[in-house]
Amino acid sequence: MDKTREAKQFLNRELSWLEFNQRVLDEACDPANPLLERLKFFTIVSSNLDEFFEVRVAGLKQQIESGNTARSVDGRTPAEIFAAITHRVRKLVADQYAFWNGELQPALARHDIRILEIESLKEPDLAWLDEFYHRKVRPVLTPLAIDPAHPFPQLLNKSLNLMVRLEMEKGGDVLKHLAVVQCPSILPRLIQLPREDGRRDFVFLGQLIGHFLADLFPGTRILGFWQFRLTRNSELYVDEGDSPNLLKAVEEELHKRRRGHAVRLEISQHCPIPVREALLKTLHLTEHDLYLVDGPLNPTRLMALYQGSHSPELRDPPFLAPVAPALRGRKDIFAAIRERDILLHHPYENFSSVVEFLETAATDHDTLAIKMTLYRTGGDPRIVGALMDAVNNGKQVTAVVELRARFDEANNIEWARKLEENGVHVVYGLVGFKIHAKVALVVRREGEKILRYVHLGTGNYNPTTARLYTDLSLFTCRADFGEDATNLFNLLTGICQFPGMSKLVVAPFDLHRKLLQLVAREAEHAKRGLPARIIAKFNSLVEPELIRALYAASQAGVKIDLIVRGICCLRPGVPGLSENITVRSIVDRFLEHSRIYYFENACQPELFVGSADWMPRNLFRRIEVVFPIEDGVLCDRVIREILRVSLADNVKARFLGPDGVYRRVSGVAPGKSHRSQTDFIALATPKLAAKAKEKLPRVALAASPFAKQKKD
């Protein structure tokens, strides 16, 4: 096929990710959401953009600087991609701050959450700020002159800084100078003023420091100050082959991350052009890397308003996830697992059952060994605490810790050290591959037998994120699953070749091939007039060969429904190519994170769940585990409840069109609306579950907004 023609069949990865971030901003702008939830989404937009620049844009700039002109699968060179994303980000940022200034900040003020200008404050507040500044702020500030004797300082990644222009008399002359004041990260970005009437009034730290600049530069006249923020390349470059100690190598790279090459400069929009140009020149950036900001320079710090608020009416209704019915009231979790496989749907069913599984194993007299993978450990000590307790109780304990989980490296290093100090055998997996699989294995002696209990999941062993992300996890003691889990850990901790698996499908060894075979089988069934259907839910769809396979299946007549939260490089609804493919994205209260793959297989359906998205990194550069759901009751639950409810969402779902634009469902009839996460909460709530099941959508699909135009 002509390369130019094929390129049009793919959407650009980076632009697709930016469209996902637009959907997050859309949730912030949606007045149907409670006010503080809108604020939360607003801050997530900025947090997402930070990581996008630190990793993706940084990588693109490196490609451009090295002269790389290779074209992506959608036909663009790195320079062309950079130009396109710069244009798109500028519009996104402009929309974000227009929403802040025109809608979000005024709405917060109407609910007595105000961010005030220092110039508008009265004497009591000014006196309080004066005392606060001199007691808590001034002692940790360091004014930095910029002149031949004082070179431009090495600014930390994402730190808040003030560029100051001032003048002073010397020998009868008036000399103009530039200086920088760094705002230490230990200080809160929002300073709350004392109030007794329930109002929550704040001033920004940057403005507070700016107000007292004359105190930092005595004998000068302050001509102006402008806040700015620098984003640096934060990718880690660890040569595992040459490093005798991976932990130390990652630690060394973490220190470098704070001072990586600059990739973005954000600065107050009123900063004079000469000052902006001086900053860009010093930082080796161009106008393409400059973003003028009309509002708070780092909206992520506004999350403090969300976390510190005690206004339940401004939040989503509280939800405390119950224990799953299969484990409710059960004192012996191992006995429950022996009876039958148990599937948990997080966060609707409590993650405490997973913690209990490990804590019980740690103190259980019959447990011989515990092995598990740790990708993002989080700050909750219960998981690692259970492993350390198990060692103290004489168990053999192995933890496969991924040190390079992006932006969790320092946390993982800290926990890895604590585990080692307490006797846990800690290993870091295979050279060249991140360990992204979610597997825990408990080995028990029961009478004359040795039984293996396995937990497999789509999400991390992190009780905090388990309350915020949607995931699936499975408990089983099936012998073949236990044997596969044992072989997997032997592969990760020992020296051996991939032995092959009976039930588990493992990347990078056989997952890609298996997925291609499953898609091709559906296409063959469709050609033969047999029932053929694919439903897949994941975070991202990027891998070109799988996308081509899905196109071929669509052309063969396979009905394909994809639920893709983030990046999707497949272009659905194109006549003759993908008219049988529908792509929807759900952005809601919880982060959609589960990965589920369903294949109709001529009325003998196969269902897989696991840790892998359909991206090159997951399929070829990570250890991922995908597993089948073999219990018929659980399989039916996933298909008829989880997938069907997700597909019927016509409130938070947005459909991807062939033009690359996502659109909400419009014209939903009264009483026919379905919001999947709300439905899942009802299904998980004991008092509501029966009625919720009665109201489950009777159809498997929500109507695509592009269905009519395809018929036409």
Side-chain angles (χ1 to χ4, degrees):
M1 180 186 291
D2 177 74
K3 286 188 177 181
T4 303
R5 180 183 171 192
E6 187 188 40
K8 294 180 180 178
Q9 298 179 358
F10 293 86
L11 298 170
N12 180 262
R13 172 196 166 128
E14 317 304 344
L15 294 176
S16 180
W17 184 90
L18 288 171
E19 291 309 314
F20 160 66
N21 215 28
Q22 177 66 56
R23 296 194 292 281
V24 177
L25 180 58
D26 290 344
E27 288 301 307
C29 298
D30 187 349
N33 290 325
L35 180 59
L36 288 176
E37 305 301 334
R38 299 173 72 187
L39 173 66
K40 177 189 71 176
F41 283 114
F42 178 78
T43 67
I44 291 172
V45 172
S46 295
S47 176
N48 286 347
L49 275 178
D50 283 349
E51 183 173 340
F52 181 70
F53 275 89
E54 289 175 281
V55 179
R56 301 304 304 177
V57 174
L60 274 174
K61 288 174 71 68
Q62 285 184 324
Q63 293 180 49
I64 294 169
E65 290 165 5
S66 67
N68 186 343
T69 58
R71 294 188 180 274
S72 60
V73 68
D74 63 300
R76 304 177 198 239
T77 66
E80 290 170 342
I81 296 172
F82 179 74
I85 65 176
T86 299
H87 176 76
R88 183 66 184 90
V89 172
R90 291 198 192 287
K91 182 181 185 307
L92 181 66
V93 171
D95 291 345
Q96 182 187 14
Y97 282 98
F99 168 64
W100 166 256
N101 291 311
E103 190 169 344
L104 186 55
Q105 187 177 16
L108 289 168
R110 288 194 295 272
H111 288 85
D112 292 328
I113 303 173
R114 302 187 302 171
I115 298 176
L116 305 175
E117 300 291 332
I118 291 183
E119 293 75 13
S120 69
L121 298 179
K122 296 181 179 179
E123 186 56 36
D125 284 335
L126 291 173
W128 185 89
L129 283 174
D130 184 278
E131 192 272 339
F132 179 87
Y133 168 80
H134 283 91
R135 182 166 52 90
K136 293 190 175 182
V137 179
R138 188 180 190 276
V140 295
L141 296 180
T142 304
L144 301 167
I146 302 173
D147 57 33
H150 302 87
F152 194 85
Q154 182 69 35
L155 303 176
L156 299 180
N157 181 38
K158 297 188 293 188
S159 62
L160 177 65
N161 307 276
L162 270 62
M163 176 63 77
V164 185
R165 188 159 65 174
L166 47 82
E167 65 180 20
M168 62 183 294
E169 290 189 17
K170 190 173 183 180
D173 296 325
V174 177
L175 305 177
K176 288 184 170 58
H177 294 273
L178 290 176
V180 169
V181 178
Q182 298 188 61
C183 304
S185 59
I186 60 171
L187 296 175
R189 292 297 183 260
L190 286 165
I191 312 300
Q192 185 168 2
L193 297 167
R195 295 287 184 265
E196 296 180 357
D197 57 4
R199 289 180 301 156
R200 301 181 66 217
D201 289 345
F202 302 85
V203 295
F204 281 120
L205 175 67
Q207 285 202 359
L208 176 65
I209 295 174
H211 181 72
F212 288 99
L213 280 175
D215 173 69
L216 289 177
F217 299 96
T220 69
R221 188 164 73 92
I222 306 299
L223 301 177
F225 71 92
W226 305 274
Q227 298 178 53
F228 72 97
R229 184 171 179 261
L230 189 62
T231 311
R232 296 186 179 276
N233 183 343
S234 296
E235 190 64 278
L236 297 186
Y237 300 95
V238 178
D239 189 343
E240 298 178 46
D242 292 338
S243 176
N245 188 315
L246 182 59
L247 187 146
K248 288 185 177 179
V250 173
E251 277 189 312
E252 290 172 1
E253 281 297 309
L254 283 176
H255 291 305
K256 296 178 185 177
R257 169 185 279 174
R258 305 172 74 191
R259 296 175 171 83
H261 292 300
V263 295
R264 174 180 62 165
L265 174 64
E266 299 169 281
I267 195 165
S268 302
Q269 70 167 3
H270 299 299
C271 180
I273 291 177
V275 176
R276 285 158 28 192
E277 290 177 341
L279 266 175
L280 290 172
K281 183 178 180 180
T282 301
L283 298 169
H284 306 291
L285 297 174
T286 71
E287 289 284 339
H288 299 297
D289 307 306
L290 176 66
Y291 291 83
L292 301 178
V293 174
D294 183 18
L297 206 60
N298 180 9
T300 304
R301 291 300 193 102
L302 294 171
M303 195 65 178
L305 299 177
Y306 177 91
Q307 295 167 337
S309 174
H310 302 287
S311 304
E313 73 279 5
L314 302 182
R315 298 175 179 272
D316 284 324
F319 171 64
L320 180 61
V323 172
L327 293 171
R328 205 171 294 157
R330 298 298 296 262
K331 295 182 179 180
D332 186 344
I333 191 170
F334 296 116
I337 298 171
R338 282 196 302 273
E339 288 179 12
R340 70 179 313 158
D341 293 352
I342 297 171
L343 183 75
L344 304 182
H345 190 196
H346 309 297
Y348 312 105
E349 293 170 332
N350 207 303
F351 190 77
S352 63
S353 299
V354 180
V355 178
E356 179 192 345
F357 173 69
L358 294 167
E359 290 179 335
T360 301
T363 58
D364 169 52
H365 178 268
D366 294 322
T367 295
L368 303 176
I370 302 173
K371 301 180 182 183
M372 71 182 302
T373 61
L374 291 173
Y375 187 72
R376 296 192 191 277
T377 59
D380 194 306
R382 288 175 291 173
I383 297 290
V384 291
L387 298 182
M388 293 186 288
D389 288 344
V391 172
N392 294 333
N393 291 319
K395 321 301 181 188
Q396 293 293 317
V397 183
T398 302
V400 182
V401 179
E402 179 49 67
L403 296 179
R404 296 153 300 174
R406 184 172 291 147
F407 301 117
D408 264 358
E409 300 94 344
N411 196 38
N412 283 10
I413 287 172
E414 178 184 353
W415 282 115
R417 283 212 165 100
K418 287 183 179 179
L419 287 168
E420 286 183 318
E421 290 168 0
N422 284 272
V424 175
H425 184 54
V426 178
V427 295
Y428 306 120
L430 299 180
V431 172
F433 300 102
K434 282 188 178 182
I435 314 299
H436 192 246
K438 326 296 182 184
V439 186
L441 171 66
V442 171
V443 182
R444 298 183 83 231
R445 180 190 292 112
E446 299 182 7
E448 297 298 319
K449 296 181 180 179
I450 298 294
L451 288 186
R452 289 173 286 196
Y453 295 80
V454 183
H455 176 267
L456 300 154
T458 68
N460 297 307
Y461 290 106
N462 185 326
T464 300
T465 56
R467 295 194 296 268
L468 306 173
Y469 294 5
T470 74
D471 277 302
L472 293 177
S473 63
L474 177 75
F475 288 115
T476 184
C477 67
R478 293 173 183 261
D480 41 14
F481 278 71
E483 180 66 16
D484 280 358
T486 298
N487 289 334
L488 175 69
F489 281 107
N490 290 344
L491 174 71
L492 298 179
T493 63
I495 299 176
C496 63
Q497 296 291 327
F498 177 66
M501 299 283 168
S502 172
K503 295 297 181 180
L504 305 186
V505 189
V506 183
F509 306 106
D510 58 2
L511 178 57
H512 184 247
R513 181 176 66 253
K514 176 73 171 181
L515 290 172
L516 288 173
Q517 290 172 348
L518 291 168
V519 174
R521 185 184 65 186
E522 293 303 309
E524 184 60 30
H525 286 329
K527 291 175 184 177
R528 294 163 54 192
L530 299 173
R533 177 78 179 278
I534 297 172
I535 305 173
K537 182 180 185 298
F538 33 59
N539 298 329
S540 299
L541 173 58
V542 176
E543 205 283 308
E545 196 171 356
L546 277 169
I547 292 175
R548 294 186 187 100
L550 290 170
Y551 285 151
S554 171
Q555 292 168 345
V558 180
K559 179 64 181 174
I560 302 171
D561 284 283
L562 304 177
I563 308 168
V564 190
R565 185 197 77 212
I567 303 167
C568 181
C569 295
L570 179 147
R571 196 184 292 272
V574 178
L577 177 72
S578 57
E579 65 264 41
N580 287 317
I581 303 177
T582 299
V583 177
R584 48 171 66 69
S585 171
I586 298 172
V587 179
D588 201 348
R589 172 178 180 173
F590 304 118
L591 182 77
E592 294 289 336
H593 194 251
S594 54
R595 290 93 166 184
I596 309 170
Y597 324 139
Y598 167 81
F599 300 92
E600 176 71 21
N601 189 30
C603 294
Q604 301 178 64
E606 288 191 276
L607 183 71
F608 297 87
V609 173
S611 61
D613 293 313
W614 291 13
M615 302 179 72
R617 72 181 188 189
N618 300 89
L619 297 168
F620 306 120
R621 300 192 297 276
R622 291 184 174 186
I623 302 295
E624 304 276 9
V625 170
V626 168
F627 51 95
I629 303 295
E630 297 199 329
D631 183 291
V633 173
L634 300 185
C635 191
D636 190 66
R637 178 191 174 194
V638 174
I639 297 168
R640 299 184 183 280
E641 184 177 303
I642 297 174
L643 289 178
R644 185 169 70 174
V645 169
S646 297
L647 290 172
D649 193 312
N650 54 17
V651 176
K652 292 299 184 180
R654 296 166 178 82
F655 285 83
L656 175 61
D659 56 358
V661 176
Y662 286 81
R663 298 177 178 88
R664 289 183 185 269
V665 178
S666 59
V668 178
K672 298 295 184 181
S673 65
H674 289 283
R675 182 176 173 181
S676 57
Q677 292 193 1
T678 300
D679 290 343
F680 288 135
I681 288 174
L683 286 166
T685 304
K687 292 182 179 180
L688 303 177
K691 285 189 177 180
K693 287 184 178 181
E694 292 177 4
K695 295 180 179 179
L696 282 178
R698 299 298 179 187
V699 294
L701 292 175
S704 166
F706 309 106
K708 185 176 185 302
Q709 69 185 48
K710 284 187 283 187
K711 290 179 182 178
D712 293 344

